[in-house]
């Protein structure tokens, strides 16, 4: 089994990635954001544990039409399909265009203001909890 | 003990040897060194480097599923030891580093409640602790000052106590959504109390809600003892040796511990002698080490005349309820961390069909890959036998559009009652990278836990539905959630049925102590780090006060 990301692997991955992540619902297909490009190398480099299943799956679907490939791989080797799907979806949701479309800025800083009175204090919501009184069982007297 | 001020050189005998540099080991080291005792700590992992944490990187979620996964068997790093889990319903989670598993914890700061220390008296099951909530409270309040806890005082789920040192973090849109439902039902909630300061504090930066707490905080804002305790301990003279895998605690002919044998980073076997040995290696690592330390005098493992070393392992079976809402909830935003907590069903109500209870923590839903996973594990998915189109194709886009940024997750921590059949043993074949036998878990989720989680899942589902959820997804008994490793070297006053006394001193070896969560007689239904650190402080204070009476090798 080859573990090099050559042109054939990229082409096969691109084709099945478009079945898993097609252009639909206002979102681009996987290939439109180049999941088969340099990001593929980056992900396999980051997650070498996925490589064996990824390349096994890609090898198994050689020559098959992409839709047939996905269905057959899901039946014969779902672990391989899961690895290909994870690589494809991880690559897809790392792309700025995709993130913008789903409204995801990434894990960014959003500091709060520690001096601000919390809304739930100001509007009395928390007072309702306090008004119900203690709910713990105290330590029994010895 | 000599009381010579620290600065011991390698292999020189010291007053106190600590095994493990996690929360309890750090508490011990800091206070012992400050009291003028010479201290060496051996830690199998290394200092965490915040620059390595993936939270600032685009591939954050992908890294969370492997390199930063909390299951050591998934990470499979050389400094981790493997755990044989084929006979366990739950996978144990931990991390080998200075700071221990808090490197990857969520920082939920939830001390045990008064009833947790009196389970036998109140409910007629399990055991009481040798001390009470009130006995522990001064230590808890002191620890909270060091940890830099953020929170709002006055939670009616707890007795009154000293205010937290930093104000609460914002509960955000997801927290407000959780509150909407709880308020409609008239159920308890409180803004989340977290081990993350909201202002700069004790070497910690303030939390900026990046939301990547569980892969290590790149901001240095999650309270971990590598930041809050070890620098103080080292300044006071404690010596911390990393990359040091302890394989045996040795004893002399008088039955006193003399120190430990460890394997250093270069694979060389070394010996550290000490007057007192304190084991702080967590509820799996500690019994593993004691069981490895067999000798003529202790043929069944060190401090194991009771036969209780390794038994009564508790790991808090965990379920999750995900609520999906029409509103955008900033579901990727932290803290991650608990936004809101609820103790509505914490105390026993026998009419529910089980004993004891659980705490809920409302958490955000995570990034786009998080719509099908929780803390790096694939859980909200179609599963084996599903069709391609179940989770791929147009349905992937629909799923992400519906769930991403629209979720909150209730995590349910239920009290796990002690059972002798749940145990840590040594595996006959599996070893770590130094060839030391690995632990094996024999653990079954009890009927009580099963029934408890079913009840709480139903109530959490009601809570998210009351808040207006358009979809709920339940995952019952998540396998990769054995964060809380407790009970396997139980404390008690009877040497026939327990391993250590309330001060952590082993009944069988008078200069061997255990200060970690393995000594807990019961598990509570909350995240235990606050209690682990507080108990360690209470114990180390006693050791320091009594040091002139301490027997030593």
């Amino acid at each position: 089994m080859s573990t090099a990301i050559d042109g054939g692997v990229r082409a096969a991955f691109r084709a099945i990635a478009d079945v898993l992540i097609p252009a639909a619902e206002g979102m681009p297909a996987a290939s439109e954001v180049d999941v088969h490009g340099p990001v593929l190398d980056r992900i396999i480099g980051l997650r070498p544990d996925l490589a064996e299943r990824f390349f096994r799956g890609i090898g198994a679907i050689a020559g098959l039409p992409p839709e047939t490939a996905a269905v057959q791989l899901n039946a014969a080797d779902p672990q391989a399909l899961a690895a290909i799907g994870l690589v494809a979806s991880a690559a897809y949701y790392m792309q700025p265009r995709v993130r913008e479309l789903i409204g995801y800025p990434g894990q960014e800083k959003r500091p709060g203001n520690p001096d601000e009175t919390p809304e739930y204090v100001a509007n009395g919501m928390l007072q309702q909890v306090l008004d119900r009184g203690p709910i713990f069982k105290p330590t029994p007297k010895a | 003990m000599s009381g010579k001020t620290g600065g011991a050189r390698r292999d020189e005998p010291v007053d106190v040897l600590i095994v493990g540099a996690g929360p309890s080991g750090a508490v011990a080291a800091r206070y012992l060194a400050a009291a003028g005792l010479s201290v060496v700590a051996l830690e199998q992992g290394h200092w965490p480097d915040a620059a390595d944490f993936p939270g600032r990187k685009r591939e954050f979620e992908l890294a969370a599923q492997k390199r930063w996964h909390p299951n050591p068997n998934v990470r499979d790093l050389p400094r981790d030891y493997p755990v044989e889990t084929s006979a366990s319903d739950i996978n144990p989670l931990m991390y080998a580093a200075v700071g221990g598993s808090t490197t990857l914890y969520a920082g939920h700061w939830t001390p045990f409640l008064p009833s947790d220390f009196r389970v036998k008296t109140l409910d007629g099951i399990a055991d009481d602790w040798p001390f009470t909530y009130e006995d522990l409270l001064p230590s808890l309040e002191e620890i909270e000052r060091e940890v830099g806890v953020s929170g709002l005082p006055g939670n009616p789920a707890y007795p009154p106590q000293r205010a937290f040192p930093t104000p609460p973090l914002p509960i955000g849109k997801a927290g407000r959504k959780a509150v909407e439902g709880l308020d409609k039902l008239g159920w308890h909630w409180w803004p989340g109390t977290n081990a993350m300061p909201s202002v700069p504090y004790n070497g910690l930066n303030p939390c900026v809600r990046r939301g990547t707490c569980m892969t290590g905080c790149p901001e240095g804002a999650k309270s971990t003892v590598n930041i809050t305790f070890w620098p103080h301990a080292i300044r006071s003279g404690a010596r911390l040796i990393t990359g040091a895998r302890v394989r045996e605690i040795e004893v002399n002919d008088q039955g006193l511990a003399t120190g430990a044998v460890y394997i250093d980073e270069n694979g060389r076997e070394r010996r550290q002698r000490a007057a007192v040995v304190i084991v702080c290696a967590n509820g799996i690592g500690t019994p593993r080490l004691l069981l490895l330390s067999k000798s003529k005098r202790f043929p069944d493992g060190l401090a194991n005349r009771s036969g209780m070393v390794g038994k009564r392992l508790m790991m808090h079976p965990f379920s999750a309820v995900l609520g999906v809402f029409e509103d955008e909830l900033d579901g990727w935003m932290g803290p991650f961390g608990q936004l809101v907590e609820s103790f509505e069903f914490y105390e026993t109500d026998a009419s529910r069909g089980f004993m004891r209870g659980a705490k809920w923590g409302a958490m955000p839903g995570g990034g786009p890959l998080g719509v099908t996973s929780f803390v790096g594990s694939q859980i909200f998915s179609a599963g084996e036998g599903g069709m391609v189109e179940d989770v791929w194709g147009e349905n992937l886009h629909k799923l992400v559009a519906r769930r991403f940024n629209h979720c909150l997750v209730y995590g349910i921590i239920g009290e796990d009652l002690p059972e002798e059949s749940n145990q840590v043993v040594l595996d006959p074949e599996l070893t770590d990278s130094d060839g030391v036998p690995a632990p094996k878990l024999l653990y079954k989720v009890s009927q009580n836990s099963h029934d408890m989680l079913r009840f709480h899942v139903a109530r959490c589902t009601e809570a998210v539905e009351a808040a207006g959820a358009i979809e709920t997804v339940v995952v019952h008994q998540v396998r990769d959630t054995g964060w809380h490793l407790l009970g396997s070297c139980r404390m008690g006053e009877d040497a026939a049925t327990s391993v250590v006394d309330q001060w952590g001193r082993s009944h069988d070896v008078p200069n061997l102590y255990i200060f970690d969560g393995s000594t807990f007689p019961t598990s509570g239904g909350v995240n235990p780090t606050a209690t682990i650190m507080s108990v360690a402080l209470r114990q180390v204070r006693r050791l320091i006060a009594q040091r002139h009476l301490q027997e030593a090798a």
Side-chain angles (χ1 to χ4, degrees), chain A residues 136-139, chain B residues 112-114 133-134 137 155-162:
Chain A
F136 64 89
K137 282 187 184 173
T139 302
Chain B
F112 279 27
L113 281 74
Y133 174 86
E134 288 73 19
L137 184 57
N155 186 349
Y158 284 89
Q161 68 158 92
R162 192 171 171 185

Side-chain angles (χ1 to χ4, degrees), chain B residues 138-365:
Chain B
S139 301
L140 171 67
E141 290 177 333
E142 182 166 343
I143 286 292
E144 288 180 343
R145 308 306 291 181
E146 301 299 326
V147 164
V149 174
S150 61
L152 193 73
N155 186 349
Y158 284 89
Q161 68 158 92
R162 192 171 171 185
F164 302 113
T166 80
L169 297 170
I171 66 172
K173 292 178 184 173
R176 281 204 294 279
K177 186 57 73 179
V179 166
E180 278 178 38
L182 294 167
D183 265 350
K184 275 188 190 163
L185 296 165
W187 290 353
H188 170 265
W189 63 271
W190 201 253
T193 307
N194 291 291
M196 302 164 196
S198 51
V199 297
Y201 194 92
N202 190 18
L204 294 160
N205 294 316
C207 174
V208 293
R209 300 192 288 168
R210 188 179 288 279
T212 62
C213 314
M214 299 191 76
T215 53
C217 178
E219 305 296 331
K222 186 175 73 171
S223 189
T224 51
V225 293
N226 56 304
I227 300 172
T228 53
F229 277 74
W230 277 109
H232 296 289
I234 290 166
R235 273 197 294 275
S236 296
R239 183 150 190 269
L240 174 54
I241 301 172
T242 60
R245 177 114 64 196
V246 178
R247 69 159 179 77
E248 183 182 357
I249 296 168
E250 294 184 310
V251 291
N252 64 13
D253 292 340
Q254 287 72 49
L256 291 165
T258 58
V261 179
Y262 67 98
I263 300 155
D264 73 12
E265 279 192 280
N266 299 318
R268 185 163 38 170
E269 192 167 286
R270 309 189 76 106
R271 184 170 273 103
Q272 176 63 55
R273 288 170 291 153
V276 166
V277 176
I278 304 174
V279 186
C280 301
N282 85 33
I284 291 176
T286 291
R288 176 198 185 202
L289 179 56
L290 297 184
L291 293 172
L292 285 167
S293 302
K294 288 178 180 163
S295 60
K296 275 187 188 170
R297 197 178 183 99
F298 297 101
D300 300 320
L302 194 57
N304 194 24
R305 287 194 177 126
S306 65
M308 295 305 293
V309 170
K311 291 183 178 169
R312 293 167 59 110
L313 174 68
M314 298 173 278
M315 292 199 284
H316 282 161
F318 176 96
S319 292
V321 174
L322 176 142
V324 184
F325 298 86
E326 293 277 7
D327 304 346
E328 292 188 350
L329 300 180
D330 294 343
W332 65 88
M333 196 189 296
F336 201 117
Q338 51 179 358
L339 304 168
V340 167
E341 60 194 35
S342 177
F343 288 83
E344 179 66 26
F345 301 102
Y346 191 82
E347 305 288 2
T348 295
D349 178 344
S351 70
R352 295 173 191 150
F354 58 88
M355 304 300 281
R356 306 301 296 158
K359 160 245 163 183
W360 308 350
M363 304 169 78

Side-chain angles (χ1 to χ4, degrees), chain B residues 442-461:
Chain B
L442 310 172
Y443 180 91
K444 295 292 169 204
V445 174
S446 70
Q447 191 62 44
N448 192 73
S449 290
H450 183 79
D451 294 344
M452 178 193 297
L453 289 176
R454 286 280 180 214
F455 171 88
H456 280 265
V457 159
R459 301 291 82 72
C460 276
T461 303

Side-chain angles (χ1 to χ4, degrees), chain A residues 72-92:
Chain A
Q72 287 195 7
L73 199 55
N74 188 46
D77 193 350
Q79 297 291 322
L81 182 67
I84 292 170
L86 178 58
V87 171
S89 56
Y92 187 75

Side-chain angles (χ1 to χ4, degrees), chain A residues 11-124:
Chain A
F13 174 63
R14 173 187 175 145
I16 195 169
D18 274 353
V19 174
L20 301 177
I21 310 177
E25 302 290 316
M27 298 296 293
S31 63
E32 292 178 62
V33 293
D34 291 329
V35 298
H36 53 290
V39 70
L40 173 60
D41 305 73
R42 185 173 167 192
I43 287 176
I44 294 295
L46 281 166
R47 289 289 303 273
D49 58 296
L50 295 174
E52 198 275 329
R53 283 174 288 153
F54 174 85
F55 287 108
R56 188 176 76 214
I58 294 292
I61 60 174
L64 292 172
E67 288 80 4
T68 308
V71 171
Q72 287 195 7
L73 199 55
N74 188 46
D77 193 350
Q79 297 291 322
L81 182 67
I84 292 170
L86 178 58
V87 171
S89 56
Y92 187 75
Y93 291 112
M94 283 164 63
Q95 302 309 311
R97 181 179 163 202
V98 171
R99 288 186 167 198
E100 190 176 343
L101 283 167
I102 64 170
Y104 179 44
Q107 300 303 131
E108 62 177 11
K109 289 183 179 188
R110 295 259 183 111
N113 177 1
D115 298 323
E116 194 173 70
T117 301
E119 178 192 24
Y120 50 78
V121 172
N123 67 13

